Amino acid sequence: MTVSERVELIKFDEPKYLEDGKAVVGQRKEAEDLAKVIHDQGYSNIFLLGIGGTEFEFGHYEYLISRMSDVDIYSVNAADVNTVRPKKLNKDSLVITASSSGDTVEIVQAAKWMKEEGIRVVAFTDKKGKLGQMLDYVVHAPVVTGYCEHSYVLQAYFMYKLMNLRGDFDAYDRFADQLSEYIFEDLLAIKKKFEPIGMKMASELYDAEYTIFTGSGALWGETLLFSMCMLEEMQWIRCRPVNAAQFFHGTLELIEDKVPVFIVKGEDEFRAQDNRVEEFCKKINCQYVVFDASEYAVRLDNEFRKFIVPMITTACITGRLSRHYEAYTKHNLQYRRYYRQFEY
């Protein structure tokens, strides 16, 4: 008799997740065609425009593209750009932004004056939303589950096709083919592997006085996204996000009982910094946990793994660990005290 164990993901619709994944893959040609249009027009530099979660989600693109191309690429905060307009941002620039709601105040404000000044803005948003109706270049996938990895895959088709057209990513077609075929099934399997791990992490951390989060490289944005957007905003849990390098210049003195350290470990050259934080935690015998992206496999060729690590990380900690915090805190992830509750 064969005995098997079925892993159930709490508050998760597997068929819908895969269905939405297929919808994203179905948008590949649209994203690639737009990349061709932008490439043919030409551009002098790239600005990734975001705020809050959107800014954090763009972080890995800035890091990865800067490692593969000599194109000048900047990740910028929309509120700051509206306050001090960068001199390098002009009609020859390409601005890429995103807003799931389509009405993020700072992004809409930035897009308005940029369009008036003839600056091209590509937005990943709802075509029927305020931002989508304002702009000429909009990519929208019919996805309702709202998981970050869906956005990452759709954006990857556009971002990395641009790099391919520049001559910086010759293997793009093979990468995109494998991404389309494997990614959502693989991420679903990864979520299931992580489920008991996430449950244990949340049980140990949810009632801490506050938690220190560290990360680096391509995963620094994911570290900020989880600690600030999922825990601070959606769980009202006090956090201290600090990158692994800066951890040793102030934050280390805050570690004590009931102040655990959460280490997000990537696979790029910055991993040595993550390891240093871990070794320090071991040395002082403090409470800490590690999320290590290298423990989760995908079927894409290994040369493409660097593009997938942020997807793995967000699928696990943003997508699943947040649900386990919610289960222990009994605080609904959708409930806000101030955010979008009134004008401010």
PDB file of all heavy atoms in Angstrom, residues 18 22 28 35 43 62 66 69 71 107 138 158 166 189 209 233 249 252 274 279 297 313 327 343:
ATOM      1  N   LEU A  18      -3.033  28.535 -10.657  1.00  0.00           N
ATOM      2  CA  LEU A  18      -2.503  28.039 -11.930  1.00  0.00           C
ATOM      3  C   LEU A  18      -3.241  28.641 -13.121  1.00  0.00           C
ATOM      4  O   LEU A  18      -2.638  28.922 -14.161  1.00  0.00           O
ATOM      5  CB  LEU A  18      -2.583  26.512 -11.961  1.00  0.00           C
ATOM      6  CG  LEU A  18      -1.703  25.781 -10.939  1.00  0.00           C
ATOM      7  CD1 LEU A  18      -1.972  24.284 -10.992  1.00  0.00           C
ATOM      8  CD2 LEU A  18      -0.223  26.073 -11.170  1.00  0.00           C
ATOM      9  N   LYS A  22      -1.556  30.816 -16.172  1.00  0.00           N
ATOM     10  CA  LYS A  22      -1.743  30.647 -17.613  1.00  0.00           C
ATOM     11  C   LYS A  22      -2.136  31.962 -18.273  1.00  0.00           C
ATOM     12  O   LYS A  22      -1.730  32.262 -19.405  1.00  0.00           O
ATOM     13  CB  LYS A  22      -2.808  29.578 -17.881  1.00  0.00           C
ATOM     14  CG  LYS A  22      -2.371  28.166 -17.542  1.00  0.00           C
ATOM     15  CD  LYS A  22      -3.485  27.157 -17.828  1.00  0.00           C
ATOM     16  CE  LYS A  22      -3.043  25.737 -17.490  1.00  0.00           C
ATOM     17  NZ  LYS A  22      -4.135  24.750 -17.733  1.00  0.00           N
ATOM     18  N   ARG A  28       2.425  37.058 -22.759  1.00  0.00           N
ATOM     19  CA  ARG A  28       3.841  37.163 -23.142  1.00  0.00           C
ATOM     20  C   ARG A  28       4.036  37.959 -24.432  1.00  0.00           C
ATOM     21  O   ARG A  28       4.850  38.887 -24.480  1.00  0.00           O
ATOM     22  CB  ARG A  28       4.446  35.763 -23.296  1.00  0.00           C
ATOM     23  CG  ARG A  28       5.867  35.766 -23.854  1.00  0.00           C
ATOM     24  CD  ARG A  28       6.417  34.368 -24.029  1.00  0.00           C
ATOM     25  NE  ARG A  28       7.678  34.374 -24.753  1.00  0.00           N
ATOM     26  CZ  ARG A  28       8.375  33.280 -25.045  1.00  0.00           C
ATOM     27  NH1 ARG A  28       7.925  32.069 -24.668  1.00  0.00           N
ATOM     28  NH2 ARG A  28       9.515  33.376 -25.718  1.00  0.00           N
ATOM     29  N   ALA A  35       7.934  45.720 -25.852  1.00  0.00           N
ATOM     30  CA  ALA A  35       9.382  45.897 -25.708  1.00  0.00           C
ATOM     31  C   ALA A  35      10.019  46.228 -27.051  1.00  0.00           C
ATOM     32  O   ALA A  35      10.916  47.085 -27.139  1.00  0.00           O
ATOM     33  CB  ALA A  35      10.005  44.635 -25.112  1.00  0.00           C
ATOM     34  N   TYR A  43      15.965  54.706 -26.307  1.00  0.00           N
ATOM     35  CA  TYR A  43      15.894  55.349 -24.996  1.00  0.00           C
ATOM     36  C   TYR A  43      17.309  55.470 -24.456  1.00  0.00           C
ATOM     37  O   TYR A  43      18.202  54.685 -24.793  1.00  0.00           O
ATOM     38  CB  TYR A  43      15.013  54.544 -24.031  1.00  0.00           C
ATOM     39  CG  TYR A  43      15.398  53.088 -23.902  1.00  0.00           C
ATOM     40  CD1 TYR A  43      16.295  52.663 -22.929  1.00  0.00           C
ATOM     41  CD2 TYR A  43      14.890  52.126 -24.789  1.00  0.00           C
ATOM     42  CE1 TYR A  43      16.670  51.331 -22.818  1.00  0.00           C
ATOM     43  CE2 TYR A  43      15.254  50.792 -24.693  1.00  0.00           C
ATOM     44  CZ  TYR A  43      16.140  50.400 -23.703  1.00  0.00           C
ATOM     45  OH  TYR A  43      16.517  49.083 -23.615  1.00  0.00           O
ATOM     46  N   GLU A  62      16.370  46.314 -10.957  1.00  0.00           N
ATOM     47  CA  GLU A  62      17.477  47.276 -10.988  1.00  0.00           C
ATOM     48  C   GLU A  62      18.803  46.545 -10.785  1.00  0.00           C
ATOM     49  O   GLU A  62      19.775  46.776 -11.518  1.00  0.00           O
ATOM     50  CB  GLU A  62      17.292  48.335  -9.909  1.00  0.00           C
ATOM     51  CG  GLU A  62      18.425  49.351  -9.894  1.00  0.00           C
ATOM     52  CD  GLU A  62      18.371  50.290  -8.698  1.00  0.00           C
ATOM     53  OE1 GLU A  62      17.884  49.868  -7.629  1.00  0.00           O
ATOM     54  OE2 GLU A  62      18.836  51.434  -8.823  1.00  0.00           O
ATOM     55  N   SER A  66      21.375  45.882 -13.991  1.00  0.00           N
ATOM     56  CA  SER A  66      22.654  46.586 -13.876  1.00  0.00           C
ATOM     57  C   SER A  66      23.823  45.625 -13.953  1.00  0.00           C
ATOM     58  O   SER A  66      24.941  46.022 -14.330  1.00  0.00           O
ATOM     59  CB  SER A  66      22.715  47.371 -12.564  1.00  0.00           C
ATOM     60  OG  SER A  66      22.786  46.504 -11.447  1.00  0.00           O
ATOM     61  N   SER A  69      23.799  44.533 -18.123  1.00  0.00           N
ATOM     62  CA  SER A  69      23.785  45.537 -19.180  1.00  0.00           C
ATOM     63  C   SER A  69      24.484  46.811 -18.728  1.00  0.00           C
ATOM     64  O   SER A  69      24.567  47.092 -17.525  1.00  0.00           O
ATOM     65  CB  SER A  69      22.339  45.848 -19.576  1.00  0.00           C
ATOM     66  OG  SER A  69      22.274  46.909 -20.515  1.00  0.00           O
ATOM     67  N   VAL A  71      23.263  49.695 -19.662  1.00  0.00           N
ATOM     68  CA  VAL A  71      22.235  50.732 -19.685  1.00  0.00           C
ATOM     69  C   VAL A  71      22.118  51.338 -18.283  1.00  0.00           C
ATOM     70  O   VAL A  71      22.196  50.633 -17.281  1.00  0.00           O
ATOM     71  CB  VAL A  71      20.869  50.167 -20.141  1.00  0.00           C
ATOM     72  CG1 VAL A  71      20.315  49.150 -19.150  1.00  0.00           C
ATOM     73  CG2 VAL A  71      19.869  51.292 -20.378  1.00  0.00           C
ATOM     74  N   ILE A 107       2.192  57.866  -7.835  1.00  0.00           N
ATOM     75  CA  ILE A 107       2.514  57.379  -9.178  1.00  0.00           C
ATOM     76  C   ILE A 107       1.650  58.070 -10.221  1.00  0.00           C
ATOM     77  O   ILE A 107       2.136  58.457 -11.293  1.00  0.00           O
ATOM     78  CB  ILE A 107       2.369  55.849  -9.243  1.00  0.00           C
ATOM     79  CG1 ILE A 107       3.466  55.185  -8.401  1.00  0.00           C
ATOM     80  CG2 ILE A 107       2.437  55.350 -10.686  1.00  0.00           C
ATOM     81  CD1 ILE A 107       3.369  53.674  -8.331  1.00  0.00           C
ATOM     82  N   VAL A 138       0.381  50.458 -21.764  1.00  0.00           N
ATOM     83  CA  VAL A 138      -0.118  49.772 -20.584  1.00  0.00           C
ATOM     84  C   VAL A 138      -0.171  48.269 -20.852  1.00  0.00           C
ATOM     85  O   VAL A 138      -0.649  47.840 -21.902  1.00  0.00           O
ATOM     86  CB  VAL A 138      -1.527  50.271 -20.193  1.00  0.00           C
ATOM     87  CG1 VAL A 138      -2.062  49.480 -19.003  1.00  0.00           C
ATOM     88  CG2 VAL A 138      -1.496  51.760 -19.879  1.00  0.00           C
ATOM     89  N   PHE A 158       8.762  41.643 -20.442  1.00  0.00           N
ATOM     90  CA  PHE A 158       9.041  42.972 -20.996  1.00  0.00           C
ATOM     91  C   PHE A 158      10.474  43.412 -20.707  1.00  0.00           C
ATOM     92  O   PHE A 158      11.221  43.784 -21.623  1.00  0.00           O
ATOM     93  CB  PHE A 158       8.062  43.998 -20.418  1.00  0.00           C
ATOM     94  CG  PHE A 158       8.337  45.410 -20.862  1.00  0.00           C
ATOM     95  CD1 PHE A 158       7.983  45.834 -22.138  1.00  0.00           C
ATOM     96  CD2 PHE A 158       8.949  46.313 -20.009  1.00  0.00           C
ATOM     97  CE1 PHE A 158       8.237  47.131 -22.556  1.00  0.00           C
ATOM     98  CE2 PHE A 158       9.211  47.617 -20.415  1.00  0.00           C
ATOM     99  CZ  PHE A 158       8.852  48.028 -21.692  1.00  0.00           C
ATOM    100  N   ARG A 166      18.687  44.659 -26.887  1.00  0.00           N
ATOM    101  CA  ARG A 166      19.907  45.458 -26.766  1.00  0.00           C
ATOM    102  C   ARG A 166      21.154  44.622 -27.029  1.00  0.00           C
ATOM    103  O   ARG A 166      22.258  45.148 -27.136  1.00  0.00           O
ATOM    104  CB  ARG A 166      20.031  46.045 -25.356  1.00  0.00           C
ATOM    105  CG  ARG A 166      19.037  47.132 -25.011  1.00  0.00           C
ATOM    106  CD  ARG A 166      19.251  47.595 -23.566  1.00  0.00           C
ATOM    107  NE  ARG A 166      20.602  48.127 -23.400  1.00  0.00           N
ATOM    108  CZ  ARG A 166      20.934  49.386 -23.628  1.00  0.00           C
ATOM    109  NH1 ARG A 166      20.024  50.253 -24.027  1.00  0.00           N
ATOM    110  NH2 ARG A 166      22.178  49.807 -23.447  1.00  0.00           N
ATOM    111  N   ALA A 189       4.731  24.016  -6.156  1.00  0.00           N
ATOM    112  CA  ALA A 189       5.439  22.966  -5.418  1.00  0.00           C
ATOM    113  C   ALA A 189       6.324  23.560  -4.327  1.00  0.00           C
ATOM    114  O   ALA A 189       6.428  23.004  -3.218  1.00  0.00           O
ATOM    115  CB  ALA A 189       6.273  22.125  -6.379  1.00  0.00           C
ATOM    116  N   GLU A 209       8.485  41.319  20.323  1.00  0.00           N
ATOM    117  CA  GLU A 209       8.334  42.757  20.556  1.00  0.00           C
ATOM    118  C   GLU A 209       8.555  43.519  19.253  1.00  0.00           C
ATOM    119  O   GLU A 209       7.815  44.435  18.922  1.00  0.00           O
ATOM    120  CB  GLU A 209       9.315  43.221  21.623  1.00  0.00           C
ATOM    121  CG  GLU A 209       8.984  42.697  23.009  1.00  0.00           C
ATOM    122  CD  GLU A 209       9.954  43.175  24.066  1.00  0.00           C
ATOM    123  OE1 GLU A 209      10.905  43.910  23.713  1.00  0.00           O
ATOM    124  OE2 GLU A 209       9.764  42.822  25.245  1.00  0.00           O
ATOM    125  N   GLU A 233       2.332  47.052   7.636  1.00  0.00           N
ATOM    126  CA  GLU A 233       1.053  47.563   7.147  1.00  0.00           C
ATOM    127  C   GLU A 233      -0.109  46.607   7.408  1.00  0.00           C
ATOM    128  O   GLU A 233      -1.174  47.014   7.878  1.00  0.00           O
ATOM    129  CB  GLU A 233       1.138  47.852   5.648  1.00  0.00           C
ATOM    130  CG  GLU A 233      -0.175  48.320   5.039  1.00  0.00           C
ATOM    131  CD  GLU A 233      -0.128  48.397   3.525  1.00  0.00           C
ATOM    132  OE1 GLU A 233       0.910  48.823   2.974  1.00  0.00           O
ATOM    133  OE2 GLU A 233      -1.133  48.033   2.894  1.00  0.00           O
ATOM    134  N   HIS A 249      26.441  48.133  11.652  1.00  0.00           N
ATOM    135  CA  HIS A 249      26.769  49.524  11.956  1.00  0.00           C
ATOM    136  C   HIS A 249      25.592  50.208  12.646  1.00  0.00           C
ATOM    137  O   HIS A 249      25.117  51.259  12.217  1.00  0.00           O
ATOM    138  CB  HIS A 249      27.198  50.247  10.681  1.00  0.00           C
ATOM    139  CG  HIS A 249      28.436  49.657  10.102  1.00  0.00           C
ATOM    140  ND1 HIS A 249      29.710  50.028  10.494  1.00  0.00           N
ATOM    141  CD2 HIS A 249      28.608  48.636   9.219  1.00  0.00           C
ATOM    142  CE1 HIS A 249      30.608  49.294   9.858  1.00  0.00           C
ATOM    143  NE2 HIS A 249      29.968  48.437   9.072  1.00  0.00           N
ATOM    144  N   LEU A 252      22.938  45.846  15.107  1.00  0.00           N
ATOM    145  CA  LEU A 252      23.349  44.682  15.913  1.00  0.00           C
ATOM    146  C   LEU A 252      23.193  44.932  17.414  1.00  0.00           C
ATOM    147  O   LEU A 252      22.969  43.997  18.196  1.00  0.00           O
ATOM    148  CB  LEU A 252      24.774  44.257  15.580  1.00  0.00           C
ATOM    149  CG  LEU A 252      25.954  45.042  16.161  1.00  0.00           C
ATOM    150  CD1 LEU A 252      27.258  44.316  15.845  1.00  0.00           C
ATOM    151  CD2 LEU A 252      26.015  46.456  15.670  1.00  0.00           C
ATOM    152  N   ASP A 274      24.964  38.056   3.876  1.00  0.00           N
ATOM    153  CA  ASP A 274      23.918  37.348   4.626  1.00  0.00           C
ATOM    154  C   ASP A 274      24.538  36.326   5.571  1.00  0.00           C
ATOM    155  O   ASP A 274      24.116  36.182   6.724  1.00  0.00           O
ATOM    156  CB  ASP A 274      22.960  36.638   3.658  1.00  0.00           C
ATOM    157  CG  ASP A 274      22.375  37.561   2.602  1.00  0.00           C
ATOM    158  OD1 ASP A 274      22.170  38.750   2.912  1.00  0.00           O
ATOM    159  OD2 ASP A 274      22.133  37.095   1.481  1.00  0.00           O
ATOM    160  N   GLU A 279      26.316  34.142  10.939  1.00  0.00           N
ATOM    161  CA  GLU A 279      27.411  33.717  11.813  1.00  0.00           C
ATOM    162  C   GLU A 279      27.438  34.549  13.094  1.00  0.00           C
ATOM    163  O   GLU A 279      27.732  34.036  14.182  1.00  0.00           O
ATOM    164  CB  GLU A 279      28.752  33.822  11.075  1.00  0.00           C
ATOM    165  CG  GLU A 279      28.938  32.783   9.978  1.00  0.00           C
ATOM    166  CD  GLU A 279      28.772  31.363  10.497  1.00  0.00           C
ATOM    167  OE1 GLU A 279      29.369  31.036  11.557  1.00  0.00           O
ATOM    168  OE2 GLU A 279      28.042  30.569   9.856  1.00  0.00           O
ATOM    169  N   ALA A 297      14.010  24.316  -5.504  1.00  0.00           N
ATOM    170  CA  ALA A 297      14.418  24.028  -6.883  1.00  0.00           C
ATOM    171  C   ALA A 297      13.347  24.422  -7.894  1.00  0.00           C
ATOM    172  O   ALA A 297      12.153  24.394  -7.610  1.00  0.00           O
ATOM    173  CB  ALA A 297      14.731  22.535  -7.024  1.00  0.00           C
ATOM    174  N   THR A 313      11.345  33.677  -3.565  1.00  0.00           N
ATOM    175  CA  THR A 313      11.300  34.324  -2.256  1.00  0.00           C
ATOM    176  C   THR A 313       9.944  34.962  -1.989  1.00  0.00           C
ATOM    177  O   THR A 313       9.364  34.783  -0.916  1.00  0.00           O
ATOM    178  CB  THR A 313      12.419  35.373  -2.158  1.00  0.00           C
ATOM    179  OG1 THR A 313      13.678  34.739  -2.422  1.00  0.00           O
ATOM    180  CG2 THR A 313      12.468  35.998  -0.773  1.00  0.00           C
ATOM    181  N   ALA A 327      -2.746  33.786  10.683  1.00  0.00           N
ATOM    182  CA  ALA A 327      -3.404  32.719  11.428  1.00  0.00           C
ATOM    183  C   ALA A 327      -3.098  32.808  12.922  1.00  0.00           C
ATOM    184  O   ALA A 327      -3.959  32.531  13.761  1.00  0.00           O
ATOM    185  CB  ALA A 327      -2.966  31.358  10.880  1.00  0.00           C
ATOM    186  N   GLU A 343      -8.291  60.735   3.251  1.00  0.00           N
ATOM    187  CA  GLU A 343      -7.284  61.538   2.544  1.00  0.00           C
ATOM    188  C   GLU A 343      -6.173  61.969   3.516  1.00  0.00           C
ATOM    189  O   GLU A 343      -6.447  62.398   4.623  1.00  0.00           O
ATOM    190  CB  GLU A 343      -7.927  62.770   1.921  1.00  0.00           C
ATOM    191  CG  GLU A 343      -8.904  62.477   0.794  1.00  0.00           C
ATOM    192  CD  GLU A 343      -8.209  61.875  -0.423  1.00  0.00           C
ATOM    193  OE1 GLU A 343      -7.049  62.239  -0.683  1.00  0.00           O
ATOM    194  OE2 GLU A 343      -8.832  61.046  -1.102  1.00  0.00           O
TER     195      GLU A 343
END
